[in-house]
Amino acid sequence: MPCGQQESGAALAGYVVGVDVGSTAVKCHVYDRAAAVRGSSCRKVELLYPRPGWVELDPEVLWSQFVCVIKEAVQAAGLHMRQIAGIGISTQRATFITWHKRTGKPFHNFISWQDLRSTELVNSWNKSLLLKVIHVIFTVLHFLTGNDRYLAPSFLTFSTHQTSMKLSWVFKNIHEAEEAAKKNNCCFGTVDTWLLYRLTKGSVYATDYSNASATGVFEPFTKCWNPTLCSLLSIPMSIYPPVKDTSFNFGSSDSEIFGVPIPIMAMVADQQSAMFGECCFHPGDVKLTMGTGGFWNVNTGEHLFASQRGLYPLIGWKIGEEVVYLTEGCMSYIGTAIKWAQDINLFTNVDETAKMAQSIVDSQGVCFVPDFQVSVNDPYLCASFMGLKPSTTRNHLVRAILESVAFRNKQLYDIIVKKIRIPLQTIRADGGVSNNSFVMQMTSDLINKEIEKPANADMSSLGAAFLAGLASGFWTDKEQLKKLRRIEAVFEPQKDSEEYKPAMDTWLQAMKRSLHW
């Protein structure tokens, strides 16, 4: 539709924008009513490493990139901002910032979910007598009541990925934040909250249920910020934003930013957004994301399953009275491992890797252990190659890296089948690594299930757009969204999983050797 065409406001608002502020890139897509991409833009996320183990983002740079990709995508679509019915924002989870309520000035950069500054604090808590006492108390409570909300605290362990520990670090180490909090002048926000605050020039301060539940500070059973945990870690309760529905009119952007006010109609955490984009609306639907990290998500409907070793509950989305829960299991840095292999010239183009792996019969006993940063389960697990020989080639190394992704997928799938008492339905994959046919086929073989791959792998931005479109009336309901799905490929099992057993057993042995490094 030409920019200068004169039509009514309702007719002009014929597009929605989905923005995905991920761990490696800020992407924006403009979608029409058929959910076809009309314009796109992408900027690389600039990570800062001020000290070993610290990972930060400059809030002003991120804000600038966010605004730029929206303007560029709308321009690339040949549209005017007034033709946008609404914006949906998907964001990386558990990355946060604190700022002064009155001045809006941040006390520090965004602290990334990948940041390790809380390692000492985490280790201290996990070894503490108090945590052991908590385990005993909640084990007894779970035994006496049978209530699953007491199950997770009965084996609670802290990790560096959790927002809670890094937030505790902030109030122990940044005096200005601590003083502001004492006077109720400190605001906490994940990426979505900060962007909303900036879009509305400070007039709207909120988050949604999906982002809140991913912080580890929000209690999914009660749907409230957890006062017990905050008291335990000396985090003031006054800092948290109100929690709103995922698909919801959060207000409009200030007209100075885009020239016209644009409704902000959805905020959602990236994995939950990808789940929605894949139309995994029914209990038992499974979404497998393979991007920077790897995530298995199972829709558990209205049933909230307590944390169990390797799995944890999340709120998928809240739309009106509907609350959908998920169970999630995560893998380590699979995308990071593949990018590292490219950086050291194991291959030139990531598209080559599937052919490289398929060009040989096996990895010749070479195994790759993919933890480049502190593992949730073992802070001393190290990334490593094992089984190297004089005959080892680049193809063997690349195949070993890709096999490690498939083997980890198999591990998580088996845990999910064992722990989640819901029959698993459709499995849908997304993320950059889902474009790798070798990983997809091997995973399908190992779990003996079909895996669907969508035509568009950027499911987080599509999910945000879907949620925004529902809130604005751009789309009517989920049934309409299902009809907009486009499947590029379906991977069906071609080999018996037993054929992989010797290789997987060797890989598991390599994993054990890499523990407690």
Side-chain angles (χ1 to χ4, degrees):
M1 189 183 299
C3 294
Q5 191 169 327
Q6 297 298 312
E7 295 188 26
S8 70
L12 281 171
Y15 305 88
V16 289
V17 167
V19 190
D20 175 26
V21 184
S23 300
T24 56
V26 182
K27 300 178 184 178
C28 179
H29 298 300
V30 180
Y31 299 92
D32 62 20
R33 291 187 191 278
V37 176
R38 296 294 297 270
S40 299
S41 180
C42 179
R43 295 286 180 99
K44 183 181 178 182
V45 169
E46 298 177 20
L47 295 175
L48 306 173
Y49 304 94
R51 297 188 193 179
W54 289 29
V55 186
E56 298 180 350
L57 296 88
D58 184 319
E60 292 304 319
V61 170
L62 191 67
W63 166 247
S64 175
Q65 291 178 322
F66 174 79
V67 172
C68 282
V69 295
I70 294 174
K71 289 180 177 179
E72 289 168 356
V74 172
Q75 185 177 14
L79 304 173
H80 188 278
M81 286 293 180
R82 67 175 175 271
Q83 293 172 267
I84 305 303
I87 299 176
I89 304 170
S90 162
T91 50
Q92 56 178 284
R93 306 178 302 181
T95 293
F96 73 93
I97 194 169
T98 62
W99 67 92
H100 197 284
K101 186 182 291 185
R102 283 190 296 104
T103 67
K105 183 182 177 183
F107 295 116
H108 51 85
N109 284 335
F110 273 108
I111 298 176
S112 168
W113 63 272
Q114 304 170 73
D115 188 280
L116 305 178
R117 72 187 65 195
S118 61
T119 299
E120 287 186 17
L121 203 56
V122 167
N123 291 340
S124 173
W125 265 103
N126 286 341
K127 293 175 183 175
S128 69
L129 178 61
L130 179 56
L131 194 62
K132 290 181 175 63
V133 171
I134 289 169
H135 288 170
V136 172
I137 291 171
F138 281 96
T139 298
V140 172
L141 283 172
H142 181 252
F143 176 77
L144 293 176
T145 66
N147 191 329
D148 273 357
R149 66 173 296 189
Y150 299 126
L151 183 61
S154 70
F155 52 80
L156 171 69
T157 53
F158 292 105
S159 84
T160 55
H161 291 174
Q162 293 165 338
T163 302
S164 55
M165 276 296 164
K166 290 189 276 267
L167 198 47
S168 179
W169 181 95
V170 164
F171 290 111
K172 290 178 187 298
N173 292 275
I174 300 178
H175 178 69
E176 295 89 342
E178 182 189 21
E179 287 302 306
K182 287 177 182 177
K183 299 173 184 176
N184 289 340
N185 278 328
C186 181
C187 293
F188 160 87
T190 42
V191 175
D192 61 302
T193 303
W194 171 253
L195 292 176
L196 178 66
Y197 187 81
R198 291 296 299 268
L199 281 168
T200 59
K201 292 285 182 77
S203 66
V204 183
Y205 176 53
T207 188
D208 94 293
Y209 282 90
S210 68
N211 275 294
S213 74
T215 62
V217 190
F218 191 82
E219 172 54 66
F221 280 94
T222 60
K223 302 186 194 67
C224 295
W225 298 106
N226 191 326
T228 306
L229 180 64
C230 290
S231 175
L232 203 62
L233 300 178
S234 302
I235 300 171
M237 286 291 291
S238 62
I239 67 171
Y240 296 112
V243 185
K244 305 292 185 183
D245 283 10
T246 308
S247 181
F248 179 78
N249 188 345
F250 287 89
S252 293
S253 63
D254 189 276
S255 58
E256 288 184 8
I257 299 169
F258 299 115
V260 294
I262 299 179
I264 304 152
M265 304 305 287
M267 297 202 306
V268 58
D270 56 5
Q271 296 308 317
Q272 289 95 316
S273 188
M275 190 88 172
F276 202 89
E278 291 272 29
C279 296
C280 292
F281 300 144
H282 304 291
D285 283 350
V286 181
K287 186 267 307 173
L288 164 59
T289 293
M290 293 181 286
T292 304
F295 298 89
W296 283 79
N297 295 92
V298 183
N299 183 326
T300 59
E302 60 186 20
H303 300 290
L304 179 60
F305 287 87
S307 291
Q308 303 191 49
R309 297 185 193 280
L311 303 175
Y312 45 89
L314 292 169
I315 295 174
W317 50 84
K318 183 176 183 295
I319 304 174
E321 295 301 310
E322 179 197 46
V323 181
V324 171
Y325 295 102
L326 310 180
T327 292
E328 181 173 276
C330 71
M331 297 181 278
S332 52
Y333 302 83
I334 57 176
T336 306
I338 293 169
K339 177 67 169 63
W340 166 81
Q342 185 176 19
D343 290 343
I344 64 167
N345 298 318
L346 282 184
F347 56 87
T348 307
N349 190 317
V350 72
D351 296 335
E352 304 168 18
T353 56
K355 288 182 180 178
M356 292 173 72
Q358 289 159 352
S359 70
I360 50 178
V361 178
D362 54 40
S363 68
Q364 214 177 60
V366 176
C367 296
F368 178 69
V369 179
D371 257 294
F372 275 96
Q373 296 198 37
V374 172
S375 163
V376 173
N377 301 315
D378 177 13
Y380 303 107
L381 176 65
C382 73
S384 56
F385 274 112
M386 294 190 192
L388 299 176
K389 305 169 185 67
S391 57
T392 299
T393 66
R394 289 184 182 188
N395 290 357
H396 293 113
L397 297 177
V398 167
R399 180 167 176 132
I401 292 171
L402 300 184
E403 283 183 344
S404 73
V405 178
F407 290 147
R408 188 70 179 115
N409 278 335
K410 166 67 171 169
Q411 280 188 316
L412 274 175
Y413 177 81
D414 286 348
I415 293 170
I416 288 166
V417 169
K418 184 178 179 182
K419 299 290 186 181
I420 302 300
R421 299 181 296 277
I422 292 178
L424 300 186
Q425 308 297 330
T426 310
I427 299 176
R428 295 166 179 163
D430 66 274
V433 183
S434 71
N435 292 318
N436 190 293
S437 59
F438 178 84
V439 171
M440 292 288 285
Q441 186 58 59
M442 187 171 173
T443 300
S444 174
D445 291 344
L446 284 167
I447 68 175
N448 196 33
K449 287 277 187 182
E450 285 187 359
I451 305 175
E452 292 181 4
K453 181 191 175 301
N456 180 358
D458 288 332
M459 281 294 119
S460 292
S461 57
L462 180 60
F466 276 171
L467 287 157
L470 288 178
S472 62
F474 188 79
W475 289 300
T476 54
D477 54 30
K478 292 177 189 170
E479 290 306 311
Q480 184 184 6
L481 299 182
K482 286 183 197 175
K483 294 172 185 175
L484 300 176
R485 286 194 72 242
R486 296 180 184 88
I487 300 170
E488 181 180 282
V490 178
F491 290 84
E492 299 177 349
Q494 294 181 356
K495 286 185 181 180
D496 191 314
S497 61
E498 284 298 308
E499 291 185 40
Y500 294 101
K501 192 174 186 306
M504 188 163 181
D505 287 345
T506 304
W507 180 77
L508 290 169
Q509 191 65 31
M511 286 284 288
K512 289 177 184 176
R513 294 284 179 91
S514 296
L515 296 172
H516 315 299
W517 190 256

